[in-house]
Amino acid sequence: MEKIVIIRYAEIHLKGKNRGYFERVFCVNLERALKGLRHELRRTSGRYLVEAFDGERVGEICDRISRVFGVHSYSVGLKTESDLDQIYACARLVAPQSGTFKVDTHRADKKFPLNSMQLNAEIGGRLLGENPALKVDVHEPQAYVFLDVRENGSTLVFSEFKKGLGGMPVGTAGKGLLLISGGIDSPVAGYLMAKRGMTVECLHFHSYPYTNEQAKEKVVELTRILSRYAGTAKLRTVKVTHIQESIHEKCAPEFMVTLLRRFMYRIAERLAKKIGAQCLITGESLGQVASQTIEGITSSDSVVESLPVLRPLIGFDKEEIIERSMQMGAYETSVLPFEDCCTVFLPEFPVIKPKMADILAEEGKLDTEALLAEALESLEVIEI
Ligand code: ATP
Ligand code: MG
């Protein structure tokens, strides 16, 4: 017998003719996740098997699989020949020591001499005979022994389905550019788009020297956390210090955030097109702060010429976002107290429902194109 991990995929079966493509991408993603750990990955009808790994590292293998989008569930188990005595030898290893249980057989190999019911009865009976602390309960068992008799002469034996992240394999739904701040929301927004199969690249705006190296390190770390799920390869940073200074100097203070956002979106769209990203992604949630009213969003959107701006958190409460941030392992980093650029020059009373005519009047005091060009010059690329 051999220790194995069984991986079942989520929505891929829905994809009809494209199924082969989705499966190939999924397989590449699993291989990437398992990189550096000795293993063999094999596809068998409707699932993947991880084999030939170091048994002591099974926890690490599961940990990595648990972060791959497209995984519906996975199980640690044993693989053996489809031979009754061998199957029993495995079953007694995964069976509980006491309490109620049920054997549940799936038999793909119709040539196996016992049918599912007979195999349940045979293995269940042997387990009961050997251990008087066990009891069968077919309706509400405390534990299961699952037997999967495969067509190829092998049987998989396991006791548990662990839930995967679900979603679609990253790389099957295009590429987006995430505007990532040092906050809680934007990493979660990137995570949710990756969950639907999108590759997510990151762009961060900083206001050096008003913001410091630690603030940047924090965003690098958040990008790294996101990259475990989202196929992120790079963090791009653009300096918006001079833009903020110019707004501060020339425009009404309550428009700082509104105007800065419009610069950010313009820069992001230009960069997105350069790197082949098909949309912008932000962590905005309706009404969360002054700049995230529908008027604020309209103002930002109106400077983006041809890409959609996706806001996966638009209907989320802060509490829900925090929960997901914790799940993805970003929360502790997100709450570190370093400023990102938006807190520099922040007005005491930002405009909440900016009128387009007022925005344009304020923006008209600036040389927009020159400021954009200068900011784009400051582009830096950090490999993750
Ligand atoms: P977050 O928690 O993501 O920082 P937030 O609640 O602080 O969001 P805002 O500061 O209003 O909200 O930012 C709204 C969105 O704008 C962010 O989710 C992010 O997508 C983008 N954004 C804000 N600041 C930056 C920045 N410095 N660099 C890149 N994107 C930014
Ligand atoms: Mg923020």
Side-chain angles (χ1 to χ4, degrees), residues 7-13 19 23 26 43-48 70-73 167:
I7 301 168
R8 302 167 200 86
Y9 42 68
E11 263 182 60
I12 303 178
H13 62 278
R19 181 176 162 156
E23 286 179 355
F26 185 51
R43 201 172 80 80
T44 74
S45 51
R47 67 209 76 190
Y48 288 84
V71 175
H72 180 260
S73 70

Side-chain angles (χ1 to χ4, degrees), residues 272-375:
K273 287 180 174 166
K274 229 196 275 182
I275 66 169
Q278 297 147 294
C279 64
L280 305 183
I281 305 166
T282 80
E284 288 159 308
S285 151
L286 188 64
Q288 194 191 81
V289 291
S291 60
Q292 295 178 24
T293 55
I294 189 63
E295 290 81 0
I297 288 171
T298 304
S299 152
S300 307
D301 260 7
S302 67
V303 299
V304 183
E305 286 169 10
S306 62
L307 295 184
V309 181
L310 303 185
R311 300 179 170 86
L313 303 181
I314 197 71
F316 281 46
D317 295 340
K318 195 76 190 186
E319 230 173 278
E320 296 171 290
I321 300 171
I322 288 174
E323 199 176 302
R324 278 162 202 263
S325 170
M326 287 175 169
Q327 275 168 11
M328 72 176 283
Y331 186 72
E332 282 178 19
T333 307
S334 283
V335 296
L336 293 174
F338 309 118
E339 296 197 337
D340 77 46
C341 70
C342 288
T343 42
V344 182
F345 302 121
L346 210 61
E348 207 174 335
F349 301 106
V351 57
I352 292 173
K353 297 184 173 184
K355 293 202 181 64
M356 198 51 84
D358 298 337
I359 296 168
L360 294 176
E362 290 303 320
E363 202 170 70
K365 299 173 185 172
L366 303 166
D367 186 346
T368 308
E369 270 312 313
L371 286 168
L372 286 172
E374 183 196 334

Side-chain angles (χ1 to χ4, degrees), residues 178-198:
L178 171 69
L179 283 73
I180 188 168
S181 70
I184 296 168
D185 305 335
S186 37
V188 177
Y191 173 89
L192 288 178
M193 293 320 300
K195 186 172 183 199
R196 295 311 302 161
M198 186 168 269

Side-chain angles (χ1 to χ4, degrees), residues 41-230:
L41 181 67
R42 195 158 296 138
R43 201 172 80 80
T44 74
S45 51
R47 67 209 76 190
Y48 288 84
L49 292 187
V50 187
E51 300 174 272
F53 53 82
D54 177 356
E56 290 186 351
R57 301 186 81 172
V58 66
E60 211 175 332
I61 288 186
C62 288
D63 189 48
R64 296 200 194 177
I65 290 168
S66 74
R67 284 199 293 263
V68 176
F69 288 125
V71 175
H72 180 260
S73 70
Y74 58 98
S75 304
V76 177
L78 297 166
K79 181 175 135 179
T80 185
E81 271 171 58
S82 293
D83 162 88
L84 200 53
D85 290 337
Q86 306 255 15
I87 293 173
Y88 176 63
C90 295
R92 59 194 291 276
L93 292 177
V94 310
Q97 291 308 305
S98 62
T100 62
F101 79 105
K102 170 186 178 175
V103 181
D104 188 335
T105 298
H106 172 81
R107 189 182 62 133
D109 178 5
K110 301 301 176 202
K111 293 203 285 296
F112 189 76
L114 302 186
N115 68 25
S116 303
M117 297 294 277
Q118 290 166 331
L119 198 51
N120 290 343
E122 176 65 30
I123 297 296
R126 288 196 195 187
L127 288 168
L128 285 177
E130 188 181 10
N131 182 352
L134 285 176
K135 238 177 101 177
V136 169
D137 179 344
V138 291
H139 300 295
E140 278 183 55
Q142 291 164 325
Y144 282 87
V145 174
F146 294 105
L147 308 178
D148 189 357
V149 185
R150 311 299 307 152
E151 281 115 338
N152 62 3
S154 66
T155 294
L156 312 178
V157 183
F158 55 96
S159 61
E160 204 180 1
F161 284 80
K162 292 184 176 143
K163 210 163 149 21
L165 284 181
M168 302 292 288
V170 168
T172 59
K175 182 154 90 174
L177 181 62
L178 171 69
L179 283 73
I180 188 168
S181 70
I184 296 168
D185 305 335
S186 37
V188 177
Y191 173 89
L192 288 178
M193 293 320 300
K195 186 172 183 199
R196 295 311 302 161
M198 186 168 269
T199 302
V200 178
E201 292 294 346
C202 293
L203 168 62
H204 176 67
F205 299 101
H206 64 87
S207 316
Y208 189 80
Y210 299 104
T211 54
N212 59 25
E213 198 56 33
Q214 282 170 306
K216 182 169 145 190
E217 269 311 309
K218 176 181 172 182
V219 179
V220 171
E221 182 54 25
L222 287 172
T223 308
R224 198 170 287 134
I225 292 167
L226 180 63
S227 73
R228 291 187 205 141
Y229 306 91

